[in-house]
Amino acid sequence: MSRRSLLFMPGNNPGMLINADILGADTVVFDLEDAVALDEKDAARTLVRNALNTLTFKHSEVSVRINPIDSPYWEADLEYIVPAMPDSIVIPKASTEAVPMVEQRIEELRAKYNVEKEIDTILLIESANGIMDIQNICKSSKLFTGLILGAEDYSSDMGVERTKGNKEIEYARYVLATAARAFRVDGIDTPYTDVDDMEGLMEDTGFAKSIGLGGRLLINPRQVEYVHKVLSPTAEQIEEASNILTESEIAKKQGLGVFSYKGKMVDLPVIKRAEATIENAKKWGLIK
């Protein structure tokens, strides 16, 4: 799964849940945690469960962020949500304690309710300990397909203020991007919180892409188009990848392991990158 955009939607807002599938995001994340007031947790669970059971999602994967295990809500969240079969569940405050507990409960509920569909997890890393222990957190998971950086809680834990330049979260971004690549899962950047600054969003997303992060959390539907513009391959990149794969087939028939394309050596890593570009372009509807 390659996710460019994960759009947060409050679980207690029925209007947003109904329109979620037409907003263009690769993944919509129905939030039961921070976006929902304590006295609305029960209502939000019911709304999200009903949305999963009654609405058709053709364009977006559907994920649900549950409450953390140090709250009294997470088990009830799973009891409501797992039978409704979301594609994935976001585990907040991911740790070597939290991840196995949540994933075990997911599997128990799948068995209890005869849910055949597999449900992935996405791990939200949002503390200094989380960054330092990220390798062990990843190893503790059997279901995860993505890592998310939660920079607001992370910077609070670090005792630093968020700035527009994001220098204060640079180390955490590099660590998370590297871990995601090492474990072959999606590396997903923290939200860009100024929803009116599209130029800044694109510049900051470009930096995230340059260090290996392929996706971004979003907090406003208007951000989807701009993030996709940065994180999707261009028409020129798709054409280049297609040409490399064509030349690769010719070289293979000639018994060549490496070959030259436009004066540059092409070997297996370049071919794999070209294959990934074409695969993603097809998945995102950029080519047929």
Side-chain angles (χ1 to χ4, degrees):
M1 182 71 196
S2 296
R3 306 172 174 97
R4 294 167 298 176
S5 56
L6 294 87
L7 177 61
F8 265 129
M9 318 209 78
N12 59 343
N13 187 323
M16 295 190 77
L17 300 186
I18 289 172
N19 292 319
D21 192 48
I22 63 171
L23 299 175
D26 293 334
T27 303
V28 290
V29 183
F30 296 154
D31 191 14
L32 298 177
E33 194 201 12
D34 290 345
V36 178
L38 297 182
D39 60 355
E40 294 186 19
K41 296 287 187 186
D42 291 341
R45 276 188 214 109
T46 302
L47 281 172
V48 171
R49 180 190 61 188
N50 291 346
L52 287 164
N53 283 334
T54 59
L55 301 177
T56 300
F57 296 91
K58 295 181 179 178
H59 306 103
S60 300
E61 174 197 53
V62 181
S63 185
V64 179
R65 179 167 73 167
I66 62 170
N67 286 279
I69 65 163
D70 60 359
S71 77
Y73 309 112
W74 71 278
E75 289 186 281
D77 292 343
L78 291 177
E79 187 77 33
Y80 268 66
I81 299 305
V82 170
M85 296 185 289
D87 296 300
S88 59
I89 286 175
V90 175
I91 302 177
K93 298 182 180 177
S95 67
T96 54
E97 179 189 12
V99 172
M101 282 180 66
V102 172
E103 292 188 351
Q104 180 180 342
R105 191 61 185 141
I106 290 171
E107 294 302 276
E108 289 171 352
L109 290 168
R110 283 184 61 217
K112 177 180 176 181
Y113 292 106
N114 296 315
V115 175
E116 294 185 0
K117 178 180 177 179
E118 293 184 357
I119 299 174
D120 300 334
T121 57
I122 305 174
L123 312 183
L124 182 50
I125 307 295
E126 47 189 337
S127 69
N129 275 334
I131 289 297
M132 295 300 292
D133 203 28
I134 194 166
Q135 188 173 350
N136 290 324
I137 294 170
C138 292
K139 288 179 178 177
S140 74
S141 175
K142 297 179 179 177
L143 305 176
F144 83 125
T145 58
L147 290 170
I148 302 174
L149 175 62
E152 293 302 324
D153 283 329
Y154 168 77
S155 56
S156 175
D157 192 32
M158 291 290 291
V160 297
E161 290 186 13
R162 295 294 309 279
T163 63
K164 189 171 183 178
N166 279 330
K167 293 293 287 185
E168 66 281 357
I169 63 168
E170 212 166 80
Y171 175 73
R173 283 170 134 180
Y174 277 109
V175 170
L176 189 128
T178 304
R181 293 289 172 177
F183 284 88
R184 300 291 184 265
V185 298
D186 293 336
I188 301 156
D189 200 14
T190 193
Y192 191 81
T193 55
D194 187 343
V195 297
D196 294 321
D197 182 9
M198 298 307 172
E199 186 177 339
L201 169 66
M202 292 180 71
E203 182 180 349
D204 193 60
T205 305
F207 170 76
K209 180 181 180 180
S210 76
I211 64 169
L213 294 169
R216 178 140 222 175
L217 276 184
L218 309 177
I219 55 175
N220 189 296
R222 291 191 296 120
Q223 296 177 317
V224 172
E225 174 188 354
Y226 295 92
V227 165
H228 283 188
K229 193 175 293 184
V230 176
L231 296 180
S232 302
T234 63
E236 290 76 17
Q237 289 169 329
I238 294 170
E239 183 180 3
E240 187 86 346
S242 178
N243 290 340
I244 287 173
L245 294 181
T246 299
E247 293 295 325
S248 171
E249 287 301 314
I250 295 171
K252 193 183 298 180
K253 290 176 182 175
Q254 295 173 342
L256 299 175
V258 297
F259 60 93
S260 176
Y261 176 73
K262 292 186 177 179
K264 295 181 180 177
M265 186 187 76
V266 175
D267 55 10
L268 188 58
V270 178
I271 294 170
K272 285 187 173 180
R273 193 158 58 238
E275 289 173 340
T277 297
I278 296 299
E279 182 183 343
N280 285 332
K282 288 179 179 177
K283 183 164 41 186
W284 296 330
L286 303 175
I287 57 174
K288 292 183 179 178

